[in-house]
Amino acid sequence: MIVLHLFIGATLAGVGLVAVLVMGLDDVWGLGGAVLAGFVLAFPVAWLVARGLNSGQ
């Protein structure tokens, strides 16, 4: 699950950064919030992906 979190967190943080930059919020708080949101949201997403991968065994 940790490896999944690394990849999923980086992807979600990148998507959040692009969304924040498109909205024009290019200050430290907007960018930091997007990265933090990606990091936090990656935990349940990684858990769901890991559960889905393990259920097929």
Side-chain angles (χ1 to χ4, degrees):
M1 188 173 122
I2 298 299
V3 174
L4 288 172
H5 181 267
L6 290 173
F7 289 108
I8 293 170
T11 302
L12 290 177
V15 169
L17 283 175
V18 170
V20 167
L21 290 173
V22 167
M23 289 188 290
L25 302 172
D26 56 352
D27 59 346
V28 175
W29 294 108
L31 298 175
V35 171
L36 183 63
F39 177 77
V40 171
L41 287 175
F43 282 110
V45 174
W47 180 75
L48 288 171
V49 171
R51 190 176 74 173
L53 287 172
N54 286 333
S55 68
Q57 294 181 0

